[in-house]
Amino acid sequence: MSGERDDAGWMGRFASASGGVAAKQCFFTGFVLAMSLLLAVSASSLVFSGPFLAAAAALVLMTVLTGVVRWASIPHGWIAVVPLFDIAAAGLMRDVFRADAAAVALFAFLPALWLAYAFGQRGNLMATAAVTLAISLPTVVRAFPDIDSVVITRSLLVPMVVAQMGFMVALARSRTLAERARTRALLGEKEELLSAAVTQERLMENIIDTIDMGILVLDRNGRVAMINRAHQELSRYASPPGQETPREADLLMRFPNTAIPVPEDQRPIARAADCETFSNYVVGFGPTRGRGRKVSTSARQIIDVDGQRDGAVIVFADVTPYFDAARRQQRFVAAVSHELRTPLTSILGYLDLVMDGGRVPAEDLAHLEVVSRNAEQLLTIVEDLLATQSVQDSGIEISRTSVDLSQLTRRAVESMRHEAQAKQLNVAESIDDTPEVSADPSRMTQAIANLLSNAVKYTPERGGITVSVREHHGAVEIRVSDTGIGMSPEEQTNLFTQYYRTPTARQHHIPGHGLGLSITKLIVLAHEGQISVRSTEGAGSTFTIRIPQLRRSSVS
């Protein structure tokens, strides 16, 4: 009980079971004195009698003592002395009035309830015993020897009522204490959970901040809920001059190796906020001039325990070193290819001389023809490698001029129409008249032809191909769609890598070296454009080329 003492204000001390002794005693003494004055109006001789005044004086003295004693420094059980004393004083006052004012016995109720409130059922027993001794016993003694059931009932009535009321008070008190203990336990558990949650949150923040990849978390409303240090650094790198905390729409974000800014609705955070999930979506961070950074982005949606979307997580990985390593590898392959071309050309030349000389037996001539065919195929591969690297490094001149891509596309479609008809493919055109662009017509024709050739190659007989050209977001967009074999997300990730051929293409025994799309991509990048693909396995693919509209620039 001692731990329940409450000194927070007068009312708090009065309501406390173990504190506020002086407050309770003052209240009781004031109540008794006020009632005594009221009784004095009609029974002044009794009120001012010696025993009554002695009882009143004793109450006043006890009240003074309760204000002097430091109750917090003594055992809690000593508090019971005060209400027991009050019950004795009430018994003396009741004995003075006797039958004239039997209701004076009610003075004992307040200290009796005090005991029950402070000590529970034990206090109730003490209060009942004290009231019996102070009020009931004198009544029975005075009635001796004429004691009957009426006398006994009248004498025990007050103690029984005190016992019942005290029982209810003690019961309510015990339930209150139990509920308070339960509440404290729950609050303790809540504080522990909150402390653990704060600890876990700090640990998670520290872990996330140590990761060298940018991480950004959106809530279900698309607002930023968390961001780590790596992403803050990437955002600062891509921030326009003079903007410390720009919106994603203001960040300097481009399609890789191009000057074309990524439209707002195609930026990683916007796509994730639009409930889209994607992987390895590469964008360029930073200004157009300078080295810049290549950043691979991925997004996953957060699902709560009810299966509802609760936000999204976007990861930003700086893959610039991998691009640099790939570029060095490509240059090495180009150097090796260049060294191979000269001896291969010499081999083919001497093979032609030997086979045209007429002195080789027929059986040996057949063998030499096999050697010649394989050498020519090897030379073709070497030439493709060199062409790929020349476009990558701009080693060949791209003669820019004003080009109508709509017209180029129409011609490319006509060139491949015979090949499509041979497979009974339906070719549909949706080609708008678009603004001219600054481009090399022969190279752009090669890029468009590569996409059309792939569409024919990977579309089964009686399938369909759709070719469209339109203006979109300050660029001319060429789109080639087919109803072919399609690709899985994993296959799309590596599609533009040199020498890469999808497992599906190999299973269908479709010929190729895995260089056509890589060359197409390099041609598009050389024009500061962008190429992308969307595909569904078994349902076809759509390739899109975007070339910026005409800008006056020097020949690269």
Side-chain angles (χ1 to χ4, degrees), residues 95 108 155 159 203 208 240 250 257 259 341 366 401 413 450 475:
D95 191 62
S155 63
L203 178 61
I208 290 177
D250 299 326
N257 298 321
R341 182 170 57 176
T401 184
V413 172
N450 280 345

Side-chain angles (χ1 to χ4, degrees), residues 195-258:
S195 178
V198 171
T199 302
Q200 290 295 327
E201 182 180 2
R202 290 177 180 173
L203 178 61
M204 184 63 66
E205 289 176 353
N206 291 332
I207 292 174
I208 290 177
D209 278 338
T210 59
I211 298 175
D212 58 358
M213 292 187 297
I215 298 177
L216 185 142
V217 180
L218 299 177
D219 63 17
R220 66 178 61 197
N221 297 317
R223 294 189 294 264
V224 176
M226 186 176 66
I227 183 172
N228 73 338
R229 185 180 295 110
H231 186 266
Q232 290 174 348
E233 293 176 357
L234 280 174
S235 297
R236 282 195 293 269
Y237 182 81
S239 298
Q243 294 189 32
E244 295 183 359
T245 56
R247 300 180 301 115
E248 187 194 27
D250 299 326
L251 292 177
L252 302 176
M253 193 179 300
R254 299 165 287 102
F255 290 113
N257 298 321
T258 75

